Amino acid sequence: MVDWNLAVATATRLMRPGPDVSRDEARAVVAELRRHARSAEEHVRGFTNLGTPETHDTPLLVVDRPGWVRANVAGFRELLKPLLDKMQERRGTSPGNVMMGAVGGKVTGVELGMLLSFLASRVLGQYETFAPATRDLPAGANGGGRLLLVAPNIVHVERELDVEPHDFRLWVTLHEETHRTQFTAVPWLRDHLEGEIQAFLAETDVDPTTVLERVREAAQSLVGGRPEGEEGDEGRSLVEIVQTPAQREILGRLTAVMSLLEGHADYVMDGVGPEVVPSVAEIREKFQQRRAKGASRLDMALRKLLGLDAKLRQYRDGERFVRAVVDEVGMEGFNRVWTSPNTLPTKAEIGKPADWITRVHRKPEA
């Protein structure tokens, strides 16, 4: 159904070259990112009161752009396996269907590779949690994932923003180390996210005609050609538009969780930053401007199509939620959010932190 090797090959062939650095400079960047990750781990744990050195067992991988692509393809392959098996079973094993499947798999592989080539030059770091452990992609002793830092992208952005490189590298690792701390200190979080994603995929309508029709409608909406009388899809990405009502409910829960995780990482980064990153104010201002404006009109169009503009809202909304809760009930009170899936904020509560505080911190009636 998907030619995964072709996806990797396509992304690697199409991705932009990284910044011009010598071999010695590259080694120095990798070594510094590893040092910053170790120090960031201590800063994040001290600030958040989450985790211990014993729970923080997942590996750090400093990768290039092709390495980031390979790790994500491995994660996609694992996550999508139940859905693709279901689609393969629906398609059948007649010679004609097998041939069509092989052709379709290559087309899908190329399309996935094109998207990954676009993203591979933009991601600074990521906590990848779903790919199975391999020699090239190790995981912690208790399962879970690994922290990826994309060295060429970090160097590219620090040059583009014209900020102090050592400060910027530490600032980035503070954000990404927060994600590693979230998943290693909260053992149920990975399984909860995977369960929500699998429930989302299980609701997917695998009838090709229906899927094609939804994609066509989504495309019409995005280019302003929505049939007359149909309203309500303005400002939504392709990913959102093609979902069923049941999937939209799940997507709302996933959006709330991702807003929490991203906003928490931004809050921690800003909370720790002034003490350990001298030029944090300059970095933050320039980076926010870069986030907001995008690199070009094409970049903005692709961000919209892929739903990346929604991710920017997750940073803002989630950070406001975390800040409001910590201001009201302190860090320990906020950390009750990690107690169980039932204490995670809903999508509505992300926008109304007081409602979450009332629900989770309300005193039992006598």
Side-chain angles (χ1 to χ4, degrees):
M1 300 298 294
V2 180
D3 190 328
W4 299 105
N5 292 332
L6 184 57
V8 173
T10 301
T12 303
R13 185 174 68 253
L14 296 179
M15 70 179 55
R16 300 173 183 174
D20 185 18
V21 296
S22 69
R23 188 178 297 273
D24 288 342
E25 287 174 318
R27 289 197 186 102
V29 171
V30 171
E32 184 174 18
L33 288 173
R34 291 188 178 281
R35 290 196 303 272
H36 284 331
R38 286 192 293 271
S39 63
E41 174 191 339
E42 297 178 4
H43 292 310
V44 170
R45 193 165 59 242
F47 185 80
T48 63
N49 298 324
L50 287 176
T52 66
E54 290 72 30
T55 62
H56 207 84
D57 69 338
T58 56
L60 165 70
L61 304 177
V62 182
V63 299
D64 57 10
R65 291 169 180 175
W68 178 85
V69 167
R70 289 192 294 272
N72 277 269
V73 165
F76 290 152
R77 190 171 190 167
E78 185 72 11
L79 270 180
L80 294 176
K81 187 177 186 301
L83 173 63
L84 296 180
D85 287 348
K86 179 180 175 182
M87 294 178 71
Q88 185 68 48
E89 182 179 352
R90 173 77 68 88
R91 173 170 283 171
T93 58
S94 69
N97 286 336
V98 171
M99 181 177 296
M100 289 298 294
V103 173
K106 291 189 180 299
V107 171
T108 306
V110 169
E111 291 173 341
L112 177 60
M114 292 171 66
L115 292 178
L116 288 172
S117 72
F118 168 75
L119 295 171
S121 62
R122 286 159 173 77
V123 176
L124 302 182
Q126 173 190 0
Y127 187 77
E128 201 297 310
T129 185
F130 297 117
T134 65
R135 182 176 61 83
D136 296 326
L137 206 61
N142 298 317
R146 68 287 298 164
L147 178 61
L148 308 176
L149 295 175
V150 191
N153 294 352
I154 293 173
V155 172
H156 171 78
V157 174
E158 71 192 26
R159 291 179 178 179
E160 178 184 295
L161 298 181
D162 190 25
V163 293
E164 210 290 317
H166 305 295
D167 284 2
F168 184 74
R169 293 167 194 174
L170 177 56
W171 187 74
V172 170
T173 57
L174 286 170
H175 182 101
E176 303 307 335
E177 277 289 341
T178 302
H179 287 317
R180 179 155 64 162
T181 297
Q182 291 163 346
F183 280 90
T184 55
V186 185
W188 54 263
L189 183 58
R190 177 190 181 277
D191 290 341
H192 173 70
L193 273 178
E194 184 174 14
E196 289 281 60
I197 292 170
Q198 291 302 336
F200 180 90
L201 294 175
E203 289 290 334
T204 298
D205 190 335
V206 296
D207 176 64
T209 303
T210 303
V211 172
L212 180 61
E213 182 62 28
R214 286 187 184 157
V215 171
R216 185 178 299 116
E217 291 172 358
Q220 290 174 343
S221 176
L222 288 168
V223 301
R226 184 180 60 255
E228 185 177 356
E230 293 185 13
E231 303 294 340
D233 283 339
E234 299 93 332
R236 294 167 59 196
S237 72
L238 176 63
V239 173
E240 293 174 298
I241 293 170
V242 298
Q243 307 314 328
T244 66
Q247 285 177 312
R248 287 175 186 164
E249 290 186 16
I250 300 170
L251 188 62
R253 296 196 297 269
L254 282 170
T255 297
V257 175
M258 298 312 297
S259 295
L260 171 69
L261 298 181
E262 296 293 357
H264 183 237
D266 265 12
Y267 179 81
V268 172
M269 183 169 59
D270 286 347
V272 174
E275 296 183 7
V276 298
V277 182
S279 59
V280 65
E282 176 191 4
I283 291 172
R284 184 65 158 151
E285 180 181 1
K286 290 183 175 180
F287 194 77
Q288 289 285 55
Q289 292 173 354
R290 181 181 185 272
R291 267 183 183 173
K293 69 181 182 180
S296 66
R297 181 174 297 181
L298 174 61
D299 185 78
M300 294 177 70
L302 285 169
R303 281 180 10 187
K304 173 63 185 174
L305 181 65
L306 298 174
L308 300 183
D309 55 342
K311 188 174 178 64
L312 298 183
R313 291 195 297 273
Q314 289 172 9
Y315 285 105
R316 294 192 298 267
D317 296 346
E319 196 274 340
R320 283 195 291 263
F321 171 84
V322 176
R323 185 173 301 279
V325 172
V326 174
D327 287 347
E328 183 69 23
V329 298
M331 185 62 75
E332 288 304 311
F334 166 79
N335 280 344
R336 290 183 65 175
V337 78
W338 311 116
T339 304
S340 75
N342 293 329
T343 57
L344 291 172
T346 64
K347 188 176 180 180
E349 287 170 342
I350 287 289
K352 296 181 178 181
D355 290 354
W356 180 87
I357 294 172
T358 299
R359 178 171 67 85
V360 175
H361 286 269
R362 65 179 181 269
K363 296 179 180 179
E365 297 180 2

